[in-house]
Amino acid sequence: MIEVRVPDIGDFSDVPVVEILVAPGQQVAAEDPLVTLESDKATMDIPAPAAGIVCELAVQLGSTVSQGSLVLTLAPPDGAASTEADGAAPAAAAPSQPSPGAEGADRVDVVVLGSGPGGYTAAFRAADLGLSVVLVERYPSLGGVCLNVGCIPSKALLHAAELLTGAREASAIGITFGEPTIELDRMRGWKDSVVGKLTGGLEGLAKQRKVRVVHGQGRFASPHELQVDQERIAFGHCIIAAGSAAAQLPGIPYHDERVIDSTGALQLGDIPERLLVIGGGIIGLEMACVYDALGAQVTVVELMDQLIPGCDPDLVRPLAKRVGGRYQAIHLGTRVQGVRAAQDGLHVTFAGDLPAARFDRVLVAVGRQPNGAQIGAEHAGVQVDRRGYIAVDAQQRTNVAHIFAIGDIAGEPMLAHKASHQGKVAAEVIAGHQVAFDSRAIPSVAYTDPEIAWAGLTETQARAQGIEYQSASFPWAASGRALSRARSDGLTKLLVDPSAPRRVLGAGIVGVGAGELIAEAVHAIEMGADAEDLALTIHPHPTLSETIGFAAESAQGTITDLYLPSSRRSRGAR
Ligand code: NAD
């Protein structure tokens, strides 16, 4: 019998168990996570030191543990020699079929661990460059969080939300619909069909390129081998694209099905009467937007003193104003103290003066955590930091020269479009190209209503870092297109170098469709464009894209659609 005890967890003691991932009788492989602990600084999984069958749990949810505390006991796996039960941890799970060996003929050029936007892009690019590729995915469908339980299903539901709010608000311009009827099953079915088309498409693209897809949990067995359930794959190079998972908060009864994360929220199980969203970041606010449109009374609680902390306050203001008028409440600078599950609902207490309140569902959206602790990286010698990130150089190389990491696991920002670009870099470097990930701007978009998008330098960053800049903005109240769409709640802002030729350093847009509009500014920053380049580009009229041209004209002092004080007007030629 192996006694599994809490290993050295640094300076922490009396750390609560927030998740139990196994049950008595369950067979586990070496390194499988058994329980999750959460301190005020980090969440950590306790892995199985060896393969075995869980006998008895010595902890329960909420138990507090320290280094050396007994977590559970493991019996040797079926058929294992009894000497394995001495508690010594093997270096890796034993392969159940002969290993082809790191240098063997069966060795694949590239194995990609994880099939999200980073992983599948890396795999397909590597195959297009003539390399043999295996793509490993633990879930039945390809596409990772983004396609299955993230960006895509949320955008489908946000489209539904837009239609619902648009129909309700149409009365202001003389069109009155009846109250929309929501058929939740059909809406869910439609959302799932959108996801299905994309994930099915990936299967087809993999086949066309002869990328072999292996489904199963992948863990390193050695620097040149990956164990995927029963199969051991020998590789020349590996690209780790294993992503991230929703971060958890202590004191939350996660076992209660009324407590959900973004995946649960996207399942659209029901429309709760009262929904509490913990975390006023991008995920929390996108889901709040969906459930508000569906008819839930939404309350948002955010730890910091602003929604979407880190984003420039002038960009957040139009969103805060709109949702402030629609939601039940928005509590800023507030921490949730605890959630108690009772028959009549989830009773939530807050730090400070805010009275306790009861909700039908609680959505926890307090950030994401990289999956670095779950891949047996130590067997390959790949360094993973305490938070689960893997450090990489500009070519996406880890500390082990033939192993690369991309996407969420390789650091912030955790965005699909960053991951896919890094995936291409890693594949090309492996194929011998002299390339690096060297972007000037990675755009961020909150697909809320109104949307907020930004790229490059922000005013918040510029002030914090003492970077000189000139800010030039164009309010959508002066845009014919925004007014004719009855959505003048927007702003387009450019940050430019204050000295000529006023190079574009950053951009921020709030308003409907901001996520589409930001691309022009990203292109400008990437190309090293000046405000003049944008101002002299003829934008179609009347469009929202004009607001970028107008903001650039404002920086140049040549704008005629606003009245600038004479000190800011340019008297030179355009
Ligand atoms: P986030 O970090 O953007 O927001 C989490 C929020 O929770 C923060 O505002 C934080 O202050 C707050 N918070 C933390 N602890 C709290 C507590 N105890 N009580 C109340 N509030 C608390 O994280 P997210 O929204 O979960 O998104 C995760 C990641 O996924 C981000 O990196 C994001 O960029 C990415 N993402 C991007 C998109 C997109 O591009 N549209 C969509 C979804 C997610």
Side-chain angles (χ1 to χ4, degrees):
M1 202 68 71
I2 303 171
E3 289 191 341
V4 181
R5 294 181 178 276
V6 176
D8 180 3
I9 48 172
D11 300 334
F12 301 111
S13 62
D14 298 326
V15 184
V17 175
V18 295
E19 203 169 359
I20 295 183
L21 304 158
V22 292
Q26 188 174 331
Q27 182 135 11
V28 293
E31 296 299 327
D32 274 356
L34 302 172
V35 300
T36 308
L37 312 181
E38 171 138 337
S39 72
D40 54 350
K41 295 217 175 63
T43 305
M44 45 212 141
D45 288 338
I46 306 290
I53 296 165
V54 177
C55 287
E56 210 179 323
L57 287 164
V59 292
Q60 54 192 15
L61 273 183
S63 302
T64 52
V65 293
S66 305
Q67 182 178 349
S69 304
L70 182 64
V71 175
L72 52 76
T73 47
L74 275 182
D78 290 339
S82 56
T83 48
E84 205 185 297
D86 63 2
S96 55
Q97 65 179 47
S99 161
E103 301 303 326
D106 295 342
R107 188 171 90 166
V108 69
D109 291 332
V110 185
V111 67
V112 181
L113 180 56
S115 74
Y120 77 71
T121 305
F124 294 175
R125 182 74 182 124
D128 289 350
L129 291 168
L131 301 167
S132 59
V133 182
V134 170
L135 178 59
V136 177
E137 170 54 55
R138 61 180 157 167
Y139 292 124
S141 77
L142 300 181
V145 170
C146 169
L147 266 70
N148 291 282
V149 289
C151 318
I152 300 302
S154 63
K155 296 312 93 71
L157 295 183
L158 281 162
H159 174 62
E162 186 185 344
L163 293 175
L164 284 166
T165 0
R168 291 187 184 116
E169 291 180 351
S171 60
I173 58 168
I175 310 168
T176 303
F177 296 98
E179 182 56 24
T181 306
I182 296 168
E183 294 178 61
L184 215 51
D185 288 341
R186 283 185 72 176
M187 191 182 288
R188 196 185 305 113
W190 171 72
K191 179 247 325 170
D192 290 343
S193 75
V194 172
V195 170
K197 279 185 192 126
L198 289 170
T199 55
L202 286 183
E203 299 278 352
L205 290 173
K207 273 202 189 94
Q208 284 171 319
R209 293 182 159 88
K210 302 199 171 30
V211 168
R212 185 162 79 91
V213 175
V214 176
H215 288 284
Q217 184 89 32
R219 283 203 170 74
F220 287 99
S222 76
H224 277 282
E225 289 172 302
L226 196 76
Q227 185 76 28
V228 186
D229 293 345
Q230 305 308 313
E231 184 177 353
R232 189 169 279 205
I233 302 166
F235 59 81
H237 292 85
C238 177
I239 300 175
I240 304 170
S244 63
Q248 298 202 329
L249 282 178
I252 307 275
Y254 284 102
H255 57 276
D256 192 297
E257 61 167 27
R258 293 166 298 180
V259 175
I260 50 177
D261 59 11
S262 53
T263 303
L266 291 167
Q267 277 166 1
L268 210 60
D270 59 10
I271 304 171
E273 202 180 313
R274 284 154 307 201
L275 171 70
L276 175 68
V277 176
I278 306 180
I282 291 183
I283 294 184
L285 292 177
E286 288 184 0
M287 286 299 105
C289 180
V290 168
Y291 278 91
D292 166 62
L294 291 173
Q297 286 172 24
V298 175
T299 297
V300 177
V301 53
E302 164 57 47
L303 197 59
M304 309 302 279
D305 57 7
Q306 178 194 293
L307 294 176
I308 315 190
C311 182
D312 284 349
D314 56 347
L315 298 177
V316 176
R317 212 164 291 130
L319 171 69
K321 188 168 170 214
R322 184 171 166 89
V323 298
R326 296 184 60 96
Y327 297 175
Q328 184 78 7
I330 297 173
H331 304 299
L332 298 177
T334 306
R335 180 193 292 273
V336 168
Q337 214 157 38
V339 177
R340 184 174 58 82
Q343 219 165 11
D344 64 344
L346 297 161
H347 293 255
V348 181
T349 50
F350 305 93
D353 300 337
L354 209 60
R358 183 169 55 88
F359 297 91
D360 302 302
R361 275 193 186 272
V362 169
L363 163 63
V364 185
V366 294
R368 296 186 63 82
Q369 220 168 16
N371 288 332
Q374 299 171 21
I375 56 172
E378 64 281 9
H379 300 305
V382 172
Q383 282 164 9
V384 180
D385 77 10
R386 281 174 67 91
R387 292 176 302 166
Y389 286 115
I390 297 174
V392 290
D393 66 11
Q395 292 194 311
Q396 304 302 134
R397 242 182 247 276
T398 67
N399 61 303
V400 178
H402 64 278
I403 300 182
F404 295 69
I406 60 170
D408 291 6
I409 209 164
E412 301 220 337
M414 293 195 185
L415 295 169
H417 41 275
K418 181 207 75 170
S420 54
H421 277 263
Q422 291 183 336
K424 285 193 173 162
V425 168
E428 289 165 4
V429 171
I430 292 169
H433 296 209
Q434 290 300 313
V435 293
F437 184 72
D438 182 26
S439 66
R440 286 191 170 145
I442 302 171
S444 290
V445 181
Y447 296 89
T448 42
D449 180 18
E451 291 182 356
I452 305 180
W454 65 100
L457 186 69
T458 66
E459 283 195 79
T460 312
Q461 279 170 350
R463 286 198 194 116
Q465 295 167 22
I467 299 171
E468 296 218 346
Y469 67 96
Q470 177 193 343
S471 169
S473 43
F474 186 81
W476 285 23
S479 154
R481 183 67 172 153
L483 284 165
S484 57
R485 287 190 58 169
R487 288 303 301 265
S488 57
D489 53 336
L491 178 80
T492 298
K493 174 171 79 170
L494 291 177
L495 300 189
V496 300
D497 189 322
S499 46
R502 294 197 183 84
R503 188 163 170 163
V504 182
L505 304 174
I509 306 175
V510 53
V512 287
E516 303 289 340
L517 296 174
I518 197 71
E520 180 185 357
V522 181
H523 191 212
I525 297 168
E526 201 59 55
M527 297 292 290
D530 304 329
E532 186 182 38
D533 296 316
L534 287 175
L536 294 184
T537 299
I538 299 180
H539 291 78
H541 174 80
T543 58
L544 295 172
S545 72
E546 270 178 312
T547 64
I548 294 177
F550 290 148
E553 287 184 352
S554 179
Q556 293 288 90
T558 58
I559 189 165
T560 47
D561 280 62
L562 286 180
Y563 185 73
L564 292 183
S566 60
S567 60
R568 287 184 47 207
R569 260 177 266 151
S570 164
R571 298 195 189 282
R574 285 195 313 140

